[in-house]
Amino acid sequence: MRKKISRREILGLGAATIAGGVALLGKQGQAKTHGGGSSQYQPSPGQAKSGNRLYWEKSYSGGPIDVKALTPVLPGKGYKPVVIPNGGALPFKMVDGVKVFHLIAEEVDHAFDSGLRAKCWGYNGRVNSTIIEAVEGERIRIYVTNKLEVSTSVHWHGFYLPNGMDGVGGLTQPYIKPGETTKYEWTLRQHGSFMFHAHHDEMTQMGMGLIGMFVVHPRNPSPEYPVDRDFSLMISEWAIEAGTARPNTLVMNDFNILTINGKSFPSTAPLVCKTGDKVRIRLGNLGAMDHHPMHIHGYHFRITATDGEDIPLSAQWPETTALVAVGQTRNIELITDAPGDWAFHCHMTHHVMNQMGHQFPNMVGMKVDGVEEQVRPLLPAYMSMGHTGMDMGKMAEVMPYPKNTIAMKGATGQFGDYISMGGLFTVVKVRDQLRNYDEDPGWYKHPAETVALKATDEELRRDGIDVSKLTVNGSGKSGSKTHGGSPSGH
Ligand SMILES: [Cu+2]
């Protein structure tokens, strides 16, 4: 008679089966870290915007970590790569069904603009502008080599992952010491706009530039997901004193270089779009201290996703300014149906101003007649500054500043006048015709009668606008006894 199988033997059998499963999965490079791999990863159904989700969902962390990964997807085949102005995506290779990346933390001699270089820290030769791009459900392995002279670690910001892959130096892993290479590996159980950054001596290392965007495309894109232009912009801030060439990460408030993907305007590449394009702009902020209300001209947009999740259509709201706080990402979406050169910038005025707009005596409105003549024997290069504000125009580029400075720098526009903004400023250039998206199409050619120009005498006369008796404030000259105020004819 056949011997009964004891409970212990059953347990033993089960363990063997599981072990076999692990060996098999290990061969395919799947779920190796957790030894599970019990079930296939179930991607979100692609209707994330329908809004019919439960209040208390089963998981706020992506569910089990030991899921089997899905087939990797290649750029241009299963997803359209994002556009990274002034930057590039980290290359990868496929090894046994795993996407393998190699991130290198190193010193980078970085140009913020043609006028300003500094020794920063970055990833793979770029500052703030090396991004990682992958697809939901994929198994990824990221080797991080530390070529700095100090220890570091990399945190994957916004990700559901095994705790030991979270990258907090000392808390979840040992440091990546100088010269060492550390391996991170997990299965992507979400999609959206995320980030990565150093998580050891954060103030110094993030301030020196060790930050980047991490875009995960959905496995089952909703019908709304595909866009014509999908931009990725990382915002940051720096303190670089005029004439120096190293960011000062000890500064807490006086940031004087504001950047998009590591560049200050006018070196920020424009966002080139065709009339009628569906456009997504992914905004991330890993600056030290400041939140940035990013404002677009001529359009409204919808805020469609955070680094938490897609926002259901019913909960999206129209905006012209999206506040991107430190540590947040925001996706905004719009249809660019109005051609032109549309400003897109931080609305904090100190953030569209480069070095020297700060820590300066308030001179606005002061009379400086004769001051230069008196001071020049002592300081030959002395110029009175600030009494008319900070609009230095082209003067900004020829003034006797120290070398390596973009103080007050903006750019000359198509009318010969100076665009008095720098820093966190770029231009969305929308055109009916484009040769290609990678070329700056130049300044917008306005249709006749659609530009604000100096009013003609005839126009003024026609509309009864009499300016002959008005004085210019502060000129000291007055053409009449009645001062400003009520227009004539009333
Ligand atoms: Cu700002």
Side-chain angles (χ1 to χ4, degrees), residues 214-291:
F214 193 143
V215 172
V216 183
H217 295 276
R219 172 68 53 167
N220 296 324
S222 69
E224 297 89 18
Y225 185 75
V227 290
D228 302 298
R229 302 293 278 158
D230 192 343
F231 297 101
S232 172
L233 308 183
M234 169 61 85
I235 301 167
S236 194
E237 58 190 354
W238 311 72
I240 306 173
E241 241 161 85
T244 69
R246 261 185 201 284
N248 181 357
T249 57
L250 296 168
V251 159
M252 190 161 74
N253 291 313
D254 286 320
F255 297 97
N256 58 6
I257 298 292
L258 281 289
T259 53
I260 297 171
N261 287 349
K263 299 286 182 182
S264 276
F265 183 78
S267 285
T268 49
L271 311 188
V272 179
C273 303
K274 267 191 207 128
T275 307
D277 274 353
K278 285 183 182 165
V279 177
R280 177 183 299 119
I281 305 174
R282 302 166 188 265
L283 300 163
N285 177 6
L286 284 176
M289 296 294 290
D290 286 302
H291 314 312

Coordinates of all heavy atoms in Angstrom, one line a residue, residues 214-291:
F214 N 13.1 61.3 -14.8 CA 13.0 59.9 -15.0 C 11.6 59.6 -15.5 O 10.6 59.7 -14.8 CB 13.2 59.1 -13.7 CG 13.5 57.6 -13.9 CD1 14.4 57.0 -13.1 CD2 12.8 56.8 -14.8 CE1 14.6 55.6 -13.2 CE2 13.0 55.5 -14.9 CZ 13.9 54.9 -14.1
V215 N 11.4 59.4 -16.8 CA 10.1 59.3 -17.5 C 9.8 57.8 -17.7 O 10.5 57.1 -18.3 CB 10.1 60.1 -18.8 CG1 8.8 59.8 -19.5 CG2 10.3 61.6 -18.5
V216 N 8.6 57.4 -17.2 CA 8.1 56.1 -17.4 C 6.8 56.1 -18.3 O 5.8 56.7 -17.8 CB 7.9 55.3 -16.1 CG1 7.4 53.9 -16.4 CG2 9.1 55.3 -15.2
H217 N 6.9 55.6 -19.5 CA 5.7 55.6 -20.3 C 4.7 54.5 -19.9 O 5.2 53.5 -19.4 CB 6.1 55.4 -21.8 CG 7.0 56.5 -22.3 ND1 6.4 57.7 -22.8 CD2 8.3 56.7 -22.4 CE1 7.4 58.5 -23.2 NE2 8.6 57.9 -23.0
P218 N 3.4 54.7 -20.1 CA 2.5 53.7 -19.7 C 2.6 52.4 -20.6 O 2.9 52.5 -21.8 CB 1.1 54.4 -19.9 CG 1.4 55.5 -20.9 CD 2.8 55.9 -20.7
R219 N 2.3 51.3 -20.0 CA 2.2 50.0 -20.8 C 1.0 50.0 -21.7 O 1.1 49.6 -22.8 CB 2.2 48.9 -19.8 CG 2.0 47.5 -20.4 CD 3.1 47.0 -21.2 NE 4.5 47.0 -20.6 CZ 5.5 46.4 -21.1 NH1 5.5 45.6 -22.2 NH2 6.7 46.5 -20.5
N220 N -0.1 50.4 -21.2 CA -1.3 50.5 -22.0 C -1.8 52.0 -22.1 O -2.6 52.4 -21.3 CB -2.5 49.7 -21.3 CG -2.2 48.2 -21.2 OD1 -1.6 47.7 -22.1 ND2 -2.6 47.6 -20.1
P221 N -1.2 52.7 -23.0 CA -1.5 54.1 -23.0 C -3.0 54.4 -23.3 O -3.6 53.7 -24.1 CB -0.7 54.7 -24.2 CG 0.2 53.5 -24.7 CD -0.3 52.3 -24.1
S222 N -3.6 55.3 -22.6 CA -5.0 55.7 -22.8 C -5.0 56.4 -24.2 O -4.0 56.9 -24.7 CB -5.4 56.7 -21.7 OG -4.7 57.9 -21.8
P223 N -6.2 56.5 -24.7 CA -6.3 57.2 -26.0 C -5.8 58.6 -26.0 O -5.4 59.2 -27.0 CB -7.8 57.2 -26.3 CG -8.4 56.1 -25.5 CD -7.5 56.0 -24.3
E224 N -5.8 59.3 -24.8 CA -5.3 60.6 -24.7 C -3.8 60.7 -24.6 O -3.3 61.8 -24.7 CB -5.9 61.3 -23.4 CG -7.4 61.4 -23.3 CD -8.0 60.2 -22.7 OE1 -7.3 59.4 -22.0 OE2 -9.2 59.9 -23.0
Y225 N -3.1 59.6 -24.3 CA -1.7 59.7 -24.0 C -0.8 60.2 -25.2 O 0.1 61.1 -25.0 CB -1.2 58.4 -23.5 CG 0.2 58.5 -23.0 CD1 0.6 59.1 -21.8 CD2 1.3 58.0 -23.8 CE1 1.9 59.2 -21.4 CE2 2.6 58.1 -23.4 CZ 2.9 58.7 -22.2 OH 4.2 58.8 -21.7
P226 N -1.0 59.7 -26.4 CA 0.0 60.1 -27.4 C -0.1 61.6 -27.7 O -1.2 62.1 -27.8 CB -0.5 59.3 -28.7 CG -1.3 58.2 -28.1 CD -2.0 58.7 -26.9
V227 N 1.0 62.3 -27.8 CA 1.1 63.7 -28.1 C 2.1 63.9 -29.3 O 2.9 63.0 -29.5 CB 1.5 64.6 -26.9 CG1 0.4 64.6 -25.9 CG2 2.8 64.1 -26.3
D228 N 2.0 65.0 -29.9 CA 3.0 65.3 -31.0 C 4.3 65.8 -30.4 O 5.4 65.5 -30.9 CB 2.4 66.4 -31.9 CG 1.1 66.0 -32.5 OD1 1.1 65.0 -33.2 OD2 0.1 66.7 -32.2
R229 N 4.3 66.5 -29.2 CA 5.5 67.0 -28.6 C 5.4 66.7 -27.1 O 4.4 67.1 -26.5 CB 5.7 68.5 -28.8 CG 5.7 68.9 -30.3 CD 6.9 68.4 -31.0 NE 8.1 69.3 -30.8 CZ 9.3 68.8 -30.9 NH1 9.6 67.6 -31.2 NH2 10.4 69.7 -30.8
D230 N 6.4 66.0 -26.6 CA 6.4 65.6 -25.2 C 7.7 66.0 -24.6 O 8.8 65.4 -24.7 CB 6.3 64.0 -25.2 CG 6.0 63.5 -23.8 OD1 6.2 64.2 -22.8 OD2 5.6 62.3 -23.7
F231 N 7.7 67.2 -24.0 CA 8.9 67.9 -23.5 C 9.2 67.5 -22.0 O 8.3 67.4 -21.2 CB 8.8 69.4 -23.6 CG 8.7 69.9 -25.0 CD1 7.5 70.3 -25.5 CD2 9.8 70.0 -25.8 CE1 7.3 70.8 -26.8 CE2 9.7 70.5 -27.1 CZ 8.5 70.9 -27.6
S232 N 10.5 67.4 -21.7 CA 10.9 67.1 -20.3 C 11.8 68.3 -19.8 O 12.9 68.5 -20.4 CB 11.6 65.8 -20.2 OG 12.2 65.6 -19.0
L233 N 11.3 69.0 -18.8 CA 12.1 70.2 -18.3 C 12.4 70.0 -16.8 O 11.4 69.9 -16.0 CB 11.3 71.5 -18.5 CG 10.8 71.8 -19.9 CD1 10.2 73.2 -19.9 CD2 11.9 71.7 -21.0
M234 N 13.6 70.1 -16.4 CA 14.0 70.0 -15.0 C 14.5 71.4 -14.6 O 15.3 72.1 -15.2 CB 15.2 69.0 -14.8 CG 15.9 69.1 -13.5 SD 14.8 68.7 -12.1 CE 14.9 66.9 -12.1
I235 N 13.8 71.9 -13.5 CA 14.1 73.2 -13.0 C 15.1 73.2 -11.8 O 14.9 72.3 -11.0 CB 12.8 73.9 -12.6 CG1 11.8 74.0 -13.8 CG2 13.0 75.3 -12.0 CD1 10.4 74.3 -13.4
S236 N 16.0 74.1 -11.8 CA 16.9 74.2 -10.6 C 17.4 75.6 -10.4 O 17.2 76.5 -11.2 CB 18.0 73.2 -10.7 OG 18.6 73.1 -9.4
E237 N 18.1 75.8 -9.3 CA 18.6 77.1 -9.0 C 20.0 77.0 -8.4 O 20.4 76.0 -7.7 CB 17.7 77.8 -8.0 CG 17.5 77.0 -6.7 CD 16.4 77.6 -5.8 OE1 15.8 78.6 -6.2 OE2 16.0 76.9 -4.8
W238 N 20.8 78.0 -8.6 CA 22.2 78.0 -8.2 C 22.6 79.3 -7.6 O 22.0 80.3 -7.9 CB 23.1 77.8 -9.5 CG 22.6 76.6 -10.3 CD1 21.5 76.6 -11.1 CD2 23.2 75.4 -10.5 NE1 21.4 75.4 -11.8 CE2 22.5 74.6 -11.4 CE3 24.4 74.8 -9.9 CZ2 22.8 73.3 -11.8 CZ3 24.7 73.5 -10.3 CH2 23.9 72.8 -11.2
A239 N 23.7 79.3 -6.8 CA 24.3 80.5 -6.3 C 25.7 80.5 -6.8 O 26.6 79.8 -6.4 CB 24.3 80.5 -4.8
I240 N 26.0 81.4 -7.8 CA 27.3 81.5 -8.4 C 27.7 83.0 -8.4 O 27.1 83.7 -9.2 CB 27.4 80.9 -9.8 CG1 26.9 79.4 -9.8 CG2 28.8 81.0 -10.3 CD1 26.8 78.8 -11.2
E241 N 28.5 83.4 -7.5 CA 28.9 84.8 -7.5 C 29.6 85.2 -8.8 O 30.4 84.4 -9.3 CB 29.8 85.0 -6.3 CG 29.1 86.0 -5.3 CD 29.7 85.9 -3.9 OE1 30.7 86.6 -3.7 OE2 29.2 85.2 -3.1
A242 N 29.3 86.4 -9.2 CA 29.9 86.9 -10.4 C 31.4 86.8 -10.4 O 32.0 87.2 -9.4 CB 29.4 88.4 -10.7
G243 N 32.0 86.2 -11.4 CA 33.4 86.1 -11.5 C 34.0 84.9 -10.9 O 35.1 84.6 -11.0
T244 N 33.1 84.0 -10.2 CA 33.6 82.8 -9.7 C 33.1 81.6 -10.6 O 32.3 81.9 -11.5 CB 33.1 82.5 -8.3 OG1 31.6 82.2 -8.3 CG2 33.3 83.7 -7.4
A245 N 33.6 80.4 -10.4 CA 33.3 79.3 -11.3 C 32.9 78.1 -10.5 O 33.1 77.0 -11.0 CB 34.5 79.0 -12.2
R246 N 32.4 78.2 -9.3 CA 31.9 77.1 -8.6 C 30.6 77.5 -7.9 O 30.5 78.5 -7.2 CB 32.9 76.7 -7.5 CG 33.7 75.5 -7.9 CD 34.7 75.0 -6.8 NE 35.8 74.3 -7.4 CZ 35.6 73.1 -7.9 NH1 34.5 72.4 -7.8 NH2 36.7 72.5 -8.5
P247 N 29.6 76.6 -8.0 CA 28.3 76.9 -7.3 C 28.6 76.9 -5.8 O 29.3 76.1 -5.3 CB 27.4 75.8 -7.7 CG 28.0 75.2 -8.9 CD 29.5 75.4 -8.8
N248 N 28.0 77.9 -5.1 CA 28.1 77.9 -3.6 C 26.8 77.3 -3.0 O 25.8 77.9 -3.0 CB 28.2 79.4 -3.1 CG 28.3 79.4 -1.6 OD1 28.3 78.4 -0.9 ND2 28.5 80.6 -1.1
T249 N 27.0 76.0 -2.6 CA 25.8 75.3 -2.1 C 25.4 75.6 -0.7 O 24.4 75.1 -0.2 CB 26.0 73.8 -2.2 OG1 27.2 73.4 -1.5 CG2 26.2 73.4 -3.7
L250 N 26.2 76.5 0.0 CA 25.9 76.9 1.3 C 24.8 78.0 1.4 O 24.2 78.2 2.4 CB 27.1 77.4 2.1 CG 28.2 76.3 2.2 CD1 29.5 77.0 2.7 CD2 27.8 75.3 3.2
V251 N 24.6 78.7 0.2 CA 23.7 79.8 0.2 C 22.2 79.2 0.4 O 21.9 78.2 -0.1 CB 23.8 80.5 -1.2 CG1 22.6 81.2 -1.6 CG2 25.0 81.4 -1.2
M252 N 21.4 80.0 1.1 CA 20.1 79.4 1.4 C 19.0 80.2 0.7 O 18.0 79.7 0.4 CB 19.8 79.5 2.9 CG 18.5 78.8 3.3 SD 18.4 78.3 5.0 CE 18.1 79.9 5.8
N253 N 19.2 81.5 0.4 CA 18.2 82.3 -0.2 C 18.6 83.0 -1.5 O 17.7 83.2 -2.3 CB 17.7 83.4 0.8 CG 16.9 82.7 2.0 OD1 16.1 81.9 1.8 ND2 17.3 83.1 3.2
D254 N 19.8 83.4 -1.5 CA 20.2 84.3 -2.7 C 20.7 83.5 -3.9 O 21.8 83.6 -4.3 CB 21.3 85.3 -2.2 CG 20.7 86.4 -1.4 OD1 19.5 86.8 -1.7 OD2 21.3 86.7 -0.4
F255 N 19.7 82.8 -4.5 CA 20.1 82.0 -5.7 C 20.1 83.0 -6.9 O 19.1 83.8 -7.0 CB 19.1 80.9 -5.9 CG 19.2 79.9 -4.8 CD1 18.3 79.9 -3.8 CD2 20.2 78.9 -4.8 CE1 18.5 79.0 -2.7 CE2 20.4 78.0 -3.8 CZ 19.5 78.0 -2.7
N256 N 21.1 83.0 -7.7 CA 21.2 84.0 -8.7 C 21.3 83.5 -10.1 O 21.4 84.2 -11.1 CB 22.3 85.0 -8.4 CG 23.7 84.2 -8.3 OD1 23.7 83.1 -8.6 ND2 24.7 85.0 -8.0
I257 N 21.3 82.1 -10.2 CA 21.3 81.5 -11.6 C 20.1 80.5 -11.5 O 20.1 79.5 -10.7 CB 22.6 80.8 -11.9 CG1 23.7 81.8 -12.0 CG2 22.5 80.0 -13.2 CD1 23.7 82.8 -13.1
L258 N 19.1 80.7 -12.4 CA 17.9 79.8 -12.4 C 17.9 79.1 -13.7 O 18.2 79.8 -14.8 CB 16.6 80.7 -12.3 CG 16.2 81.1 -10.9 CD1 15.7 80.0 -10.0 CD2 17.3 81.9 -10.1
T259 N 17.7 77.8 -13.7 CA 17.9 77.0 -14.9 C 16.8 76.1 -15.3 O 16.0 75.6 -14.4 CB 19.2 76.2 -14.8 OG1 19.1 75.4 -13.6 CG2 20.4 77.1 -14.8
I260 N 16.6 75.9 -16.6 CA 15.8 74.8 -17.1 C 16.7 73.8 -17.8 O 17.5 74.2 -18.7 CB 14.8 75.3 -18.2 CG1 13.8 76.3 -17.5 CG2 14.0 74.2 -18.9 CD1 12.9 77.1 -18.5
N261 N 16.7 72.6 -17.4 CA 17.7 71.6 -17.9 C 19.1 72.1 -17.9 O 19.9 71.9 -18.9 CB 17.3 71.1 -19.4 CG 16.1 70.2 -19.3 OD1 15.6 69.8 -18.3 ND2 15.5 69.9 -20.5
G262 N 19.5 72.8 -16.9 CA 20.8 73.3 -16.7 C 21.2 74.6 -17.4 O 22.4 75.0 -17.4
K263 N 20.2 75.2 -18.1 CA 20.6 76.4 -18.9 C 19.7 77.6 -18.5 O 18.6 77.5 -18.1 CB 20.3 76.1 -20.4 CG 21.1 75.0 -21.0 CD 22.5 75.4 -21.3 CE 23.3 74.3 -21.9 NZ 24.7 74.6 -22.1
S264 N 20.3 78.8 -18.6 CA 19.6 80.0 -18.4 C 19.3 80.7 -19.7 O 20.1 80.6 -20.6 CB 20.5 81.0 -17.6 OG 20.5 80.7 -16.2
F265 N 18.1 81.3 -19.8 CA 17.8 82.1 -21.0 C 18.9 83.1 -21.2 O 19.3 83.8 -20.3 CB 16.4 82.7 -20.9 CG 16.0 83.4 -22.1 CD1 15.5 82.7 -23.2 CD2 16.1 84.8 -22.2 CE1 15.1 83.4 -24.3 CE2 15.7 85.5 -23.3 CZ 15.2 84.8 -24.4
P266 N 19.4 83.4 -22.4 CA 18.8 82.9 -23.7 C 19.4 81.5 -24.2 O 19.1 81.2 -25.3 CB 19.3 84.0 -24.7 CG 20.5 84.5 -24.1 CD 20.4 84.4 -22.6
S267 N 20.1 80.8 -23.3 CA 20.6 79.5 -23.8 C 19.6 78.4 -23.6 O 19.9 77.2 -24.0 CB 21.9 79.2 -23.0 OG 23.0 80.0 -23.5
T268 N 18.5 78.6 -23.1 CA 17.4 77.6 -23.0 C 16.9 77.4 -24.4 O 16.5 78.3 -25.1 CB 16.3 78.0 -22.1 OG1 15.9 79.3 -22.5 CG2 16.7 78.0 -20.7
A269 N 17.0 76.1 -24.9 CA 16.5 75.8 -26.3 C 15.0 76.0 -26.3 O 14.3 75.7 -25.4 CB 16.8 74.4 -26.7
P270 N 14.4 76.7 -27.4 CA 13.0 76.9 -27.5 C 12.2 75.6 -27.6 O 12.8 74.6 -28.0 CB 12.8 77.7 -28.7 CG 14.0 77.4 -29.6 CD 15.1 77.1 -28.6
L271 N 11.0 75.6 -27.2 CA 10.1 74.4 -27.4 C 9.4 74.6 -28.7 O 8.5 75.4 -28.8 CB 9.1 74.3 -26.2 CG 9.7 74.4 -24.8 CD1 8.6 74.1 -23.7 CD2 10.9 73.5 -24.6
V272 N 9.8 73.9 -29.7 CA 9.4 74.1 -31.1 C 8.2 73.2 -31.3 O 8.2 72.0 -31.1 CB 10.5 73.8 -32.1 CG1 10.0 74.0 -33.5 CG2 11.7 74.7 -31.8
C273 N 7.1 73.8 -31.8 CA 5.8 73.1 -32.0 C 5.2 73.6 -33.3 O 5.4 74.7 -33.8 CB 4.8 73.4 -30.9 SG 5.4 73.0 -29.3
K274 N 4.3 72.7 -33.9 CA 3.6 73.1 -35.1 C 2.2 73.6 -34.6 O 1.7 73.1 -33.6 CB 3.4 71.9 -36.0 CG 4.4 71.8 -37.1 CD 4.0 70.8 -38.1 CE 5.3 70.2 -38.8 NZ 5.3 68.8 -38.8
T275 N 1.6 74.4 -35.4 CA 0.2 74.9 -35.1 C -0.7 73.7 -35.0 O -0.7 72.8 -36.0 CB -0.3 75.9 -36.2 OG1 0.7 76.9 -36.3 CG2 -1.6 76.5 -35.8
G276 N -1.4 73.5 -33.9 CA -2.4 72.4 -33.8 C -1.8 71.2 -33.1 O -2.5 70.2 -32.9
D277 N -0.5 71.2 -32.8 CA 0.1 70.1 -32.1 C -0.5 69.8 -30.7 O -0.9 70.8 -30.0 CB 1.6 70.3 -31.9 CG 2.4 69.9 -33.1 OD1 1.9 69.3 -34.0 OD2 3.7 70.1 -33.0
K278 N -0.6 68.6 -30.3 CA -0.9 68.2 -28.9 C 0.4 68.2 -28.2 O 1.4 67.5 -28.7 CB -1.6 66.8 -28.8 CG -3.0 66.8 -29.3 CD -3.6 65.4 -29.0 CE -5.0 65.4 -29.5 NZ -5.5 64.0 -29.7
V279 N 0.5 68.9 -27.1 CA 1.8 69.1 -26.5 C 1.7 68.8 -25.0 O 0.8 69.2 -24.3 CB 2.3 70.6 -26.6 CG1 3.6 70.9 -25.9 CG2 2.4 71.0 -28.1
R280 N 2.7 68.0 -24.5 CA 2.8 67.8 -23.1 C 4.2 68.3 -22.6 O 5.2 68.2 -23.3 CB 2.8 66.3 -22.8 CG 3.0 65.9 -21.3 CD 3.0 64.4 -21.1 NE 1.8 63.8 -21.5 CZ 1.7 62.9 -22.5 NH1 2.7 62.4 -23.1 NH2 0.5 62.4 -22.8
I281 N 4.1 69.0 -21.5 CA 5.4 69.5 -20.9 C 5.5 68.9 -19.5 O 4.6 69.2 -18.7 CB 5.5 71.1 -20.9 CG1 5.2 71.7 -22.3 CG2 6.8 71.5 -20.3 CD1 5.1 73.2 -22.3
R282 N 6.5 68.2 -19.3 CA 6.8 67.6 -18.0 C 7.7 68.5 -17.2 O 8.8 68.7 -17.7 CB 7.4 66.2 -18.1 CG 6.6 65.2 -18.9 CD 7.4 64.0 -19.3 NE 6.7 63.1 -20.3 CZ 6.0 62.0 -19.9 NH1 5.9 61.7 -18.7 NH2 5.4 61.3 -20.9
L283 N 7.3 69.0 -16.1 CA 8.1 69.9 -15.3 C 8.5 69.2 -14.0 O 7.6 68.6 -13.3 CB 7.2 71.1 -15.0 CG 6.7 72.0 -16.2 CD1 5.6 72.9 -15.7 CD2 7.9 72.8 -16.8
G284 N 9.7 69.3 -13.7 CA 10.2 68.8 -12.4 C 11.0 69.9 -11.7 O 11.7 70.7 -12.3
N285 N 11.0 69.9 -10.4 CA 11.7 70.9 -9.6 C 12.5 70.2 -8.5 O 12.0 69.7 -7.6 CB 10.8 71.9 -9.0 CG 11.5 73.0 -8.2 OD1 12.8 73.0 -8.1 ND2 10.8 73.9 -7.5
L286 N 13.9 70.2 -8.7 CA 14.7 69.7 -7.6 C 15.7 70.8 -7.2 O 16.9 70.5 -6.8 CB 15.4 68.4 -8.0 CG 14.6 67.2 -8.0 CD1 15.3 66.0 -8.5 CD2 14.0 66.9 -6.6
G287 N 15.3 72.0 -7.2 CA 16.1 73.1 -6.7 C 16.2 73.0 -5.2 O 15.5 72.2 -4.6
A288 N 17.0 73.8 -4.5 CA 17.2 73.7 -3.1 C 16.0 74.3 -2.3 O 15.5 73.6 -1.4 CB 18.4 74.5 -2.7
M289 N 15.5 75.4 -2.6 CA 14.6 76.2 -1.7 C 13.3 76.7 -2.4 O 12.4 77.1 -1.7 CB 15.4 77.3 -1.1 CG 16.5 77.0 -0.2 SD 16.1 76.1 1.3 CE 15.3 77.4 2.2
D290 N 13.3 76.9 -3.7 CA 12.3 77.7 -4.3 C 11.3 76.9 -5.1 O 11.6 76.0 -5.9 CB 12.9 78.8 -5.2 CG 13.5 79.9 -4.3 OD1 12.8 80.5 -3.5 OD2 14.7 80.1 -4.5
H291 N 10.0 77.3 -5.0 CA 8.9 76.7 -5.8 C 8.7 77.7 -7.0 O 8.9 78.9 -6.8 CB 7.6 76.6 -5.0 CG 7.9 76.0 -3.6 ND1 8.6 74.9 -3.4 CD2 7.5 76.4 -2.4 CE1 8.6 74.5 -2.2 NE2 8.0 75.5 -1.5

